[in-house]
Amino acid sequence: MELRLNIEDATPPELARGIAAAEAVFTRAGITALQGAEGLFALEGWDIKGFPEDDKPTEYEDRAATIWLEADEAAATACCAGWPKERVPRHQIMELINVPRTKLQAEAVPDTWAERKQLYPDVVTRLEITTGPDRQIDFDIAFILGWVPERQTLDRVEPLSEDGDRIPFFTSDLAQVEEMARRALKDWTIEIDRDPCDAHVFDPAAGDGDDELRLAAWRDFDGSLHMEKPPANPAIALTLAMMRGQSMHFD
């Protein structure tokens, strides 16, 4: 298990300097990098679910997440010391690699991580080609995100999420999907087109190279197309854009 920095054009000595700065933050705080990453994962999971009151991260997880973010910032500052301001990353640049199996990989049930990871690209493809609402896709998205402990099928009674609510209608209820997106990404801009259907979700402060902060369902920000035809409806478009933003977690 080790830290890795994703900073374009950084030299090995610069990367090593950044990692050393991050490790110093964890050492001063008295936690490991893994504990920090798990805290951040818990915080991001709560964010994705729309900040439910009964599923808040613990005080320990919240502190660990804060320390991880401080370490990430310290790493970027140290690595990019002396760089022009516009080249210093404004997004998270740190990750753990060779991580042992923990809730960082499978929050719902540890043994489901491989299945969820394999299912992710399949669901994105199905969102791209579906001709309308698809409850099985809704179920599969909930499973991928760790909201339910196992993959559900249409031949069962409709499942409930862990907090007792019905699984969201990701492919049919635009208002529901948009509410979740706006709660999860409060400072981001969400644009939805209906003719043709498309969705763009982005951080207004993001630059042209900040692809992970600029998400599109069909037509990307540079004018290229993710697929031949636009999504079947606006709910699918917004869900697809949001799911593209999850790709970093399933690489």
Side-chain angles (χ1 to χ4, degrees):
M1 178 178 59
E2 59 184 290
L3 287 170
R4 179 170 67 187
L5 304 184
N6 298 306
I7 301 179
E8 188 175 358
D9 297 329
T11 65
E14 288 172 332
L15 293 171
R17 188 171 65 213
I19 289 173
E23 290 175 339
V25 172
F26 290 123
T27 299
R28 287 196 300 270
I31 70 170
T32 66
L34 178 59
Q35 289 170 323
E38 289 181 334
L40 184 68
F41 185 78
L43 187 64
E44 289 180 340
W46 185 51
D47 186 327
I48 291 170
K49 294 177 183 179
F51 308 106
E53 284 295 321
D54 60 351
D55 195 25
K56 289 183 178 180
T58 65
E59 183 177 346
Y60 172 82
E61 289 171 331
D62 186 66
R63 175 178 177 271
T66 298
I67 293 167
W68 174 276
L69 294 173
E70 290 175 356
D72 187 277
E73 183 177 359
T77 300
C79 177
C80 304
W83 288 23
K85 184 177 180 180
E86 62 273 13
R87 289 186 57 207
V88 179
R90 296 192 303 273
H91 55 276
Q92 290 187 49
I93 47 83
M94 191 168 65
E95 66 176 331
L96 275 178
I97 59 176
N98 301 323
V99 183
R101 183 172 295 279
T102 68
K103 67 177 180 179
L104 182 64
Q105 293 180 315
E107 185 182 55
V109 176
D111 290 341
T112 66
W113 170 245
E115 184 181 2
R116 291 162 59 202
K117 185 176 181 180
Q118 183 177 21
L119 185 60
Y120 169 79
D122 173 71
V123 166
V124 170
T125 298
R126 285 156 56 201
L127 284 168
E128 291 178 340
I129 65 176
T130 186
T131 58
D134 187 322
R135 199 63 178 137
Q136 185 62 60
I137 293 179
D138 296 342
F139 294 169
D140 287 348
I141 291 173
F143 173 64
I144 287 171
L145 297 178
W147 294 7
V148 290
E150 60 182 10
R151 189 180 182 188
Q152 306 295 320
T153 58
L154 292 171
D155 59 357
R156 301 184 186 183
V157 176
E158 185 165 313
L160 302 178
S161 62
E162 290 182 329
D163 59 5
D165 294 328
R166 298 177 75 187
I167 285 177
F169 290 80
F170 293 105
T171 59
S172 59
D173 191 335
L174 175 61
Q176 187 178 42
V177 177
E178 187 172 3
E179 180 183 5
M180 289 188 293
R182 293 194 184 280
R183 283 190 298 180
L185 302 170
K186 290 184 177 180
D187 297 326
W188 288 40
T189 298
I190 297 175
E191 297 178 346
I192 300 169
D193 299 323
R194 295 177 180 273
D195 188 20
C197 289
D198 202 358
H200 294 86
V201 182
F202 58 93
D203 182 344
D208 291 341
D210 296 330
D211 292 341
E212 69 274 20
L213 304 180
R214 291 151 45 99
L215 314 173
W218 178 48
R219 188 179 300 279
D220 213 344
F221 290 83
D222 62 1
S224 62
L225 301 179
H226 282 292
M227 66 270 198
E228 182 179 352
K229 296 181 180 180
N233 64 42
I236 292 172
L238 182 53
T239 296
L240 181 55
M242 296 294 288
M243 287 299 288
R244 294 198 197 284
Q246 294 294 314
S247 63
M248 69 183 72
H249 301 298
F250 294 94
D251 289 340

